[in-house]
Amino acid sequence: MPEFLSHTLLIFILVGFAAQLVDGALGMAFGVISTTVLISLGVPPAVASAGVHAAECVTTGVSGLSHLHHRNIDWQLFRRLAIPGVIGGILGAYLLSNVDASVIKPFILAYLAAIGLVLIYRGWRYPPQLKEPRFVAPLGLAGGFLDAAGGGGWGPVVTSNLLVQGSSPRKTIGTVNSAEFFLTVAISVTFLLSLGFEIVTQATVGLLIGGVIAAPFGAVIAKRVPAKPLLLLVGVILTITSLYGIYKAIA
């Protein structure tokens, strides 16, 4: 049994490491990749989302401190995103915690597949045309809600839309990642109050370890690997994995 547990933990560490490398390079995808893998392995949607967000409390904290050090945060944009994001996240976590897992699972997987298609579209059109961003607070509210209810999506929804609206890429990624720390803490507390300590699983520990190890390398990846092929790859993998999960759920 200990050997099996060690092997399983290693798998989650590798998933967390890979997901955080991609997230560090693109400012998105840790949540959606990790949640899709967990749900595909049979973890209930609420527990998967809760576990991923518990791990992200640490990984986003490390990432946020790094962006703070490198002055990548637009504080005005931060304030406009963080508060609506936290509100949306709490609502999404509460909804997911009180809905039967077998009912919600296909919808969550469909949402994740849609996010995958969005990532493919964003990657194909990368870089986006620059223009003045106009919608921030509603975007934060929606991004927070979908992130909690879907186990990921804050980065893909918020970062990609702000970039399309014309926000500076460096400031956007730094600000969105930093605001995500407060979002994940709020979501994790909501899940903890609703589900208890069952959200802390071996998967959570593995994702946390892998994510923390990979977090410092995000800036290096962002500098050396082109964003377009990474974005396309994540979108393709996420879409295929989610569609397969939908097939298994309804078959």
Side-chain angles (χ1 to χ4, degrees), residues 32 35-36 39 107-117 150 152 238-239 242:
V32 287
T35 303
T36 302
I39 292 179
F107 295 98
I108 297 301
L109 287 169
Y111 161 72
L112 292 172
I115 290 294
L117 293 175
L238 181 59
T239 303
S242 300

Side-chain angles (χ1 to χ4, degrees), residues 9-10 13 19 47 76 89 92 106 119 131 137 154 164 194-195 212 222 249:
L9 181 63
L10 178 60
I13 290 175
V47 177
Q76 182 179 359
L119 290 175
K131 52 185 177 181
W154 172 258
V164 168
S194 300
L195 302 176
V212 169

Side-chain angles (χ1 to χ4, degrees), residues 50-136:
V52 168
H53 283 95
E56 282 188 310
C57 285
V58 179
T59 60
T60 57
V62 174
S63 177
L65 288 175
S66 177
H67 284 296
L68 178 64
H69 175 71
H70 292 287
R71 299 181 179 180
N72 290 338
I73 301 176
D74 180 335
W75 290 108
Q76 182 179 359
L77 179 61
F78 177 90
R79 287 189 293 270
R80 296 171 66 190
L81 277 178
I83 296 176
V86 167
I87 295 173
I90 292 173
L91 292 175
Y94 180 79
L95 172 67
L96 189 59
S97 299
N98 291 277
V99 176
D100 180 57
S102 61
V103 175
I104 198 68
K105 182 176 180 179
F107 295 98
I108 297 301
L109 287 169
Y111 161 72
L112 292 172
I115 290 294
L117 293 175
V118 170
L119 290 175
I120 294 173
Y121 175 76
R122 300 301 185 200
W124 188 261
R125 292 179 57 86
Y126 191 91
Q129 182 180 0
L130 297 180
K131 52 185 177 181
E132 255 334 281
R134 296 182 178 180
F135 302 100
V136 178

